[in-house]
Amino acid sequence: MRTSIATVCLSGTLVDKLHAIADAGFDAVEIFEPDLIAAPQSPEEIRALCERLGLEIALYQPFRDAEGVAEPEFARVLHRAEAKFQLMDRLGVDTVLVCSNVATATIDDDAVSADQLARLAERADRYGKRIAFEALAWGRYIDDYRRAWRIVERAAHPALGVCLDSFHILSRGHDPAAIESIPGDRIFFVQLADAPILSMDVLSWSRHHRLFPGEGGFDLPAFVEHTLRAGYTGPLSLEVFNDVFRQTDPVRTARHGRRSLTVLQDAIGVGRVPAASEPSGLDQVELKAQDTDGVAALLARIGFAPCGRHASKTAWLYAAGEARFVLNEHNATGAEPHVAGFGLRCEQPLTAAERAERLGARRAHRRVLTGEADLPAMLAPDGTEILLSDPESGRRWPQEFSGGNGEADSGILGIDHVNLTEPVADIEEAVLFYGTALGLERESSAELAGPAGLVRSQVLRSRDGAVRLALNVVPPLSESQPAARRHAQHVAIACTDLPALLARARARGLRTVPVSANYYDDLAARFDLPEDELASLRAAGLLYDRDESGDYLHCYTETIGTVFFELVERRQGYDGFGAANTPVRLTAQHAAG
């Protein structure tokens, strides 16, 4: 199916938006009238630009308060419409969006609305134009697409049809199944937006909280399937009002939107995206910096063994159990230690990489010499590099490192999860990408209070829990704050018998984030722990949590650059992340600066 997006979704000038939309691979565009009015270019110049960019102008919008008005006012409506039809001729667009009336001086009479829309359509037909009538969720009287269709049907003019907007329909809880009763050729346009499920007035909800498909709580695949079964053949168009998107880079936002439509098309079986190849585990984590010595020393204190330097790159491998860290100084001038990427094990890495690319991921260009493992690599929207390995290549690439010595601590099992931070402007895009491109399932999100504000956490995981990825949105802090407090990331290392491992690590010089005495007093109140076990936790400085399956012990290391590590022990199938303890960690890190 053809794809489209409204210019209102993006920041920038109209010309900026059109270039971004074309670059993202859309077929068509909705021109939002205020964008055109503010543009210095003439309608003819905008039309010519769209033609050069290969963009069809599929819709001009919006035309407001056109029906259900007194006759003197309707004469003024026709006057306005004449000017717009002439403008549409100059733009080269044949369909205009007419919204249901929201004014207070409106007549609640289907016959009046039908008659006026029929006369408006007759005027439009003289110019070769069509009217797509849309029921706004906050329309004064017409706020249901089913009533809008009854009025259009009553008007009985071939130049009049309906526009179906998923937000206006699903936000009101209206059943979209009745869409299938509308003839496909009378559905003139379909607009798509997702949204979180909120309890607030629909106008504010619509204006500030719409999201791209796949990012909210609406069942958009079912909505689109209803329109297709009705016989709709026009473009699927995004119309997303969102405070964030109006401020962010239009090129990236347009690509984000295009990816969401690909995901949606894949969900309804009309795309050509390879099936997800679910990852079977985390293969490695890459930590990058100009100087990785501090991270290397921290890993050694935890119990990791150095496996040597890479044969052709300024990079070192540290390993213990199934956990592997690559410390990379290649092309890292000026960079503090940070999580630059991670590797995933899967049975079909090439297919997984192709799926990610079809969903808009950029291929990561890596220098690979003869004899080195050529792992498929891609870049997430935030720039994180993701490498994919099958069992054979996963065994082969560590052999490119040599010269290491030392023995790893036997209490380290592997990498439990990776925790990345995302700016508030990027979190929805990141969740959509990591979930759909990597075949991970989204778990419920959490909001946790810290000394610098609220931290939102979103977990994605494989079905068997072998891969866990946590994405955190941290509170906006001033650039004068230390980098570690602005956007610290961490990697959780799975251990067995954490108290014993921690004792050995401390003997090697490991320092962990301190835990307040108040925490243990509260722990005693929340859980019926034996007194000796509580005393052991207190003495070791360990945090504790419990769910219906088992227990969770964990602690956090000091921060190097923007990276720290969490040591975790899951007992009897505990499946969470100790979220209740996050404020304790945040407060201690805040105090440490």
Side-chain angles (χ1 to χ4, degrees):
M1 295 196 68
R2 290 179 295 148
T3 59
S4 173
I5 187 172
T7 58
V8 72
C9 299
L10 308 177
S11 68
T13 67
L14 180 55
V15 169
D16 293 336
K17 297 179 183 195
L18 293 174
H19 278 281
I21 290 166
D23 177 73
F26 284 93
D27 303 305
V29 62
E30 299 177 40
I31 299 290
F32 185 54
E33 184 170 73
D35 286 334
L36 181 68
I37 291 172
Q41 294 81 15
S42 69
E44 289 81 5
E45 289 173 312
I46 295 300
R47 176 179 183 172
L49 174 60
C50 287
E51 289 174 351
R52 290 197 302 273
L53 294 174
L55 287 175
E56 172 197 358
I57 303 177
L59 188 73
Y60 186 70
Q61 59 113 333
F63 190 83
R64 301 187 187 278
D65 301 335
E67 48 71 37
V69 298
E71 277 303 304
E73 177 58 31
F74 187 67
R76 288 188 283 271
V77 168
L78 291 177
H79 176 74
R80 280 194 293 129
E82 288 273 359
K84 298 307 175 186
F85 298 148
Q86 293 167 12
L87 173 63
M88 290 168 63
D89 266 343
R90 298 170 66 191
L91 273 176
V93 57
D94 66 2
T95 305
V96 61
L97 175 69
V98 172
C99 304
S100 63
N101 206 323
V102 300
T104 55
T106 305
I107 301 168
D108 184 14
D109 188 323
D110 285 6
V112 171
S113 292
D115 173 67
Q116 291 177 345
L117 286 172
R119 284 186 280 161
L120 186 62
E122 179 62 31
R123 192 70 57 94
D125 196 36
R126 298 176 193 172
Y127 289 87
K129 310 304 178 194
R130 304 189 309 168
I131 304 293
F133 183 53
E134 174 183 63
L136 296 179
W138 53 91
R140 177 68 174 172
Y141 295 115
I142 303 170
D143 58 8
D144 186 326
Y145 79 97
R146 292 164 293 194
R147 184 176 182 184
W149 165 239
R150 288 196 300 270
I151 291 170
V152 167
E153 192 174 29
R154 183 169 184 164
H157 196 289
L160 178 65
V162 293
C163 173
L164 301 176
D165 183 309
S166 63
F167 181 87
H168 294 306
I169 294 171
L170 301 179
S171 66
R172 295 296 303 269
H174 296 153
D175 185 355
I179 290 172
E180 296 185 35
S181 66
I182 305 174
D185 61 355
R186 304 303 300 279
I187 302 174
F188 283 2
F189 210 72
V190 170
Q191 295 174 320
L192 300 175
D194 210 334
I197 303 303
L198 301 172
S199 179
M200 64 188 306
D201 70 276
V202 288
L203 180 56
S204 298
W205 191 9
S206 173
R207 287 287 181 259
H208 303 286
H209 300 285
R210 292 195 188 200
L211 297 170
F212 287 131
E215 298 176 342
F218 293 160
D219 188 354
L220 290 190
F223 176 86
V224 172
E225 286 173 340
H226 288 308
T227 67
L228 297 181
R229 283 196 286 268
Y232 176 69
T233 59
L236 297 178
S237 190
L238 300 173
E239 188 192 41
V240 175
F241 302 96
N242 182 299
D243 295 344
V244 171
F245 297 161
R246 289 167 173 160
Q247 303 175 53
T248 50
D249 175 21
V251 172
R252 180 169 174 176
T253 304
R255 290 174 180 170
H256 176 189
R258 185 63 186 85
R259 178 185 296 115
S260 76
L261 279 181
T262 303
V263 171
L264 179 60
Q265 290 172 318
D266 182 46
I268 62 176
V270 299
R272 298 179 180 177
V273 180
S277 178
E278 186 174 0
S280 59
L282 281 159
D283 190 36
Q284 51 91 2
V285 174
E286 179 186 330
L287 305 174
K288 195 164 188 174
Q290 177 175 309
D291 182 352
T292 61
D293 287 351
V295 180
L298 181 54
L299 287 172
R301 289 192 288 270
I302 293 171
F304 282 79
C307 299
R309 176 172 172 154
H310 193 268
S312 64
K313 300 180 179 69
T314 313
W316 293 263
L317 176 63
Y318 280 71
E322 294 295 317
R324 298 188 284 208
F325 289 92
V326 175
L327 309 187
N328 188 359
E329 295 180 359
H330 183 65
N331 291 336
T333 302
E336 293 183 281
H338 64 283
V339 177
F342 56 88
L344 296 174
R345 294 189 295 270
C346 59
E347 289 298 321
Q348 298 178 308
L350 292 176
T351 301
E354 182 184 356
R355 174 179 174 83
E357 285 192 65
R358 294 286 184 88
L359 293 173
R362 293 170 291 152
R363 183 176 288 273
H365 298 288
R366 304 172 62 247
R367 185 187 67 177
V368 179
L369 301 185
T370 302
E372 296 179 356
D374 189 6
L375 304 180
M378 69 194 92
L379 294 175
D382 59 7
T384 300
E385 185 172 341
I386 303 163
L387 286 84
L388 302 168
S389 62
D390 56 22
E392 180 183 350
S393 59
R395 288 188 296 268
R396 187 155 50 91
W397 71 260
Q399 299 171 7
E400 298 166 13
F401 295 82
S402 61
N405 56 71
E407 186 174 341
D409 194 302
S410 60
I412 296 174
L413 300 175
I415 295 173
D416 187 86
H417 64 272
V418 177
N419 189 304
L420 304 176
T421 55
E422 301 286 344
V424 66
D426 302 339
I427 183 62
E428 303 299 346
E429 179 184 22
V431 170
L432 180 69
F433 172 81
Y434 285 117
T436 57
L438 304 184
L440 302 178
E441 297 179 348
R442 183 190 308 196
E443 292 188 339
S444 59
S445 61
E447 292 185 343
L448 307 162
L454 208 60
V455 176
R456 175 185 164 200
S457 180
Q458 174 67 65
V459 173
L460 299 107
R461 54 176 287 164
S462 57
R463 282 175 294 180
D464 62 2
V467 174
R468 293 181 174 96
L469 182 65
L471 304 178
N472 283 357
V473 180
V474 296
L477 298 173
S478 80
E479 287 302 308
S480 63
Q481 297 288 345
R485 280 168 55 181
R486 290 201 305 271
H487 45 73
Q489 309 156 312
H490 77 266
V491 182
I493 299 165
C495 307
T496 182
D497 194 357
L498 179 55
L501 180 141
L502 186 56
R504 295 191 297 271
R506 287 207 170 108
R508 292 187 289 262
L510 181 68
R511 292 179 296 176
T512 58
V513 169
V515 182
S516 72
N518 295 334
Y519 171 77
Y520 294 103
D521 292 341
D522 179 68
L523 203 60
R526 288 193 294 129
F527 298 109
D528 55 342
L529 293 170
E531 195 61 39
D532 59 339
E533 185 174 350
L534 184 63
S536 296
L537 292 171
R538 189 191 304 267
L542 283 170
L543 300 162
Y544 175 88
D545 193 31
R546 179 192 295 167
D547 64 12
E548 62 276 4
S549 299
D551 305 325
Y552 188 63
L553 304 183
H554 61 135
C555 63
Y556 301 95
T557 72
E558 62 184 311
T559 301
I560 305 292
T562 65
V563 177
F564 63 95
F565 299 94
E566 180 183 5
L567 307 180
V568 310
E569 180 185 352
R570 297 179 182 271
R571 295 176 174 175
Q572 298 93 32
Y574 175 92
D575 200 36
F577 295 85
N581 298 326
T582 299
V584 177
R585 186 258 296 175
L586 292 172
T587 299
Q589 289 177 325
H590 185 85

